[in-house]
Amino acid sequence: MPRPASGSAPARSTILVVEDDPSIRTLLTSALGAAGHHVVAAVTGQEAMFKAGDSRPDLIVMDVMLPDADGFDLTRQLRAQGLYTPVLFLTARTEVEDRIIGLSSGGDDYVTKPFHVQEVLLRIRAILRRTGSFAPAAAGRARPPLRYGDLVLDTDAHTVHRAGRPLKLSPTEFRLLACLMARADRVLDKGEILQEVWKYDFAGDTRIVDTYIKNLRRKIDATPPALIQTVRGVGYCLRKSDDSTGNGGPGPSTGTTRP
């Protein structure tokens, strides 16, 4: 939950900055504080794990190369412990493959060093906006769960069940599944998914969609029948592999495969 910053109006969010470089840590802490956020700082991976559990931040800004840990591994540990706080990676690694690895580990975005602090603030604002898009509805305006066959996504409770079994999804995986379920049996191209789930373009690199679909498929399709389908050269859709919708009607079938 957001906390008030000392001597100021209530902060919009609590942000954990994990960065061992003192100049970068001070820059980010000052900029985020000036933007109205409550900031918690950590220098090492061990300290980050403790403060992530203690402060329950709304977002984590994570340096990848820490003195005692790898930021990607730390994020995997957080996810394994059931903490799905959005993570923005900061790193000097510039290869696209590194970005894909980072996002595959459970991160939500990736900024390379050197960076302009305003870019980081904009990325943070975008992440907080999209992760807040599934906040509980106002009292008396509960939204019905999304259902597709034995798959149930409850937006208000932020839960997902397949065949009655609860599934643990990261915030981005949850938004991606909600996007697919809201348009079940319709083929979505990767650009459309990028815009809907991430809210802005990843410089035309749609591999982030492929990466997250792969992660989501491991969780959703562990229970048959497979629901997340690939349409070669187009994108993805949610429908049964036998081309039935799971809701009593036929679904489209042209060009559907699973890589």
Side-chain angles (χ1 to χ4, degrees):
M1 294 294 292
R3 294 167 173 78
S6 177
S8 66
R12 291 176 297 184
S13 304
T14 295
I15 298 178
L16 172 60
V17 175
V18 186
E19 172 61 65
D20 66 312
D21 186 311
S23 60
I24 296 178
R25 188 171 63 252
T26 300
L27 173 65
L28 291 173
T29 300
S30 299
L32 289 167
H37 300 292
H38 174 70
V39 183
V40 179
V43 178
T44 65
Q46 183 177 7
E47 186 181 12
M49 292 295 290
F50 172 77
K51 290 190 174 180
D54 183 59
S55 64
R56 290 289 167 173
D58 299 288
L59 183 142
I60 300 173
V61 179
M62 177 87 73
D63 183 23
V64 172
M65 301 178 68
L66 295 167
D68 64 337
D70 180 286
F72 297 158
D73 290 337
L74 278 180
T75 302
R76 292 188 187 96
Q77 292 178 42
L78 290 171
R79 301 300 185 239
Q81 293 178 12
L83 190 62
Y84 292 99
T85 304
V87 175
L88 169 65
F89 287 119
L90 298 178
T91 180
R93 301 177 187 175
T94 58
E95 296 296 324
V96 172
E97 287 71 19
D98 290 322
R99 182 171 68 175
I100 298 300
I101 291 172
L103 295 169
S104 298
S105 71
D108 292 80
D109 206 344
Y110 191 109
V111 176
T112 58
K113 301 177 181 178
F115 57 81
H116 193 290
V117 68
Q118 190 61 34
E119 178 187 4
V120 175
L121 292 176
L122 289 173
R123 297 288 183 111
I124 288 173
R125 186 183 307 165
I127 294 172
L128 292 173
R129 183 175 65 246
R130 67 185 185 242
T131 54
S133 62
F134 290 104
R141 298 178 58 191
R143 291 164 291 187
L146 295 173
R147 299 177 183 274
Y148 190 85
D150 60 359
L151 181 63
V152 182
L153 181 148
D154 190 322
T155 299
D156 292 339
H158 207 280
T159 58
V160 176
H161 291 77
R162 179 88 199 265
R165 180 173 61 91
L167 304 178
K168 292 184 178 181
L169 304 184
S170 72
T172 301
E173 290 168 346
F174 187 90
R175 292 192 306 276
L176 176 56
L177 180 60
C179 175
L180 295 172
M181 292 186 71
R183 299 159 181 80
D185 299 308
R186 174 187 161 195
V187 179
L188 302 178
D189 66 54
K190 296 178 184 179
E192 187 176 1
I193 294 173
L194 273 175
Q195 179 60 37
E196 177 68 22
V197 177
W198 281 268
K199 303 299 183 187
Y200 62 88
D201 181 33
F202 270 79
D205 185 2
T206 58
R207 281 186 291 178
I208 179 62
V209 177
D210 301 327
T211 297
Y212 266 93
I213 286 288
K214 180 179 179 180
N215 293 344
L216 188 60
R217 185 175 275 150
R218 279 202 300 264
K219 298 178 181 181
I220 299 301
D221 289 344
T223 299
L227 296 180
I228 301 175
Q229 305 298 328
T230 301
V231 179
R232 292 192 185 279
V234 183
Y236 300 98
C237 69
L238 189 77
R239 66 173 177 240
K240 286 189 176 180
S241 56
D242 62 359
D243 292 332
S244 64
T245 66
N247 293 315
S253 59
T254 304
T256 302
T257 62
R258 280 176 54 82

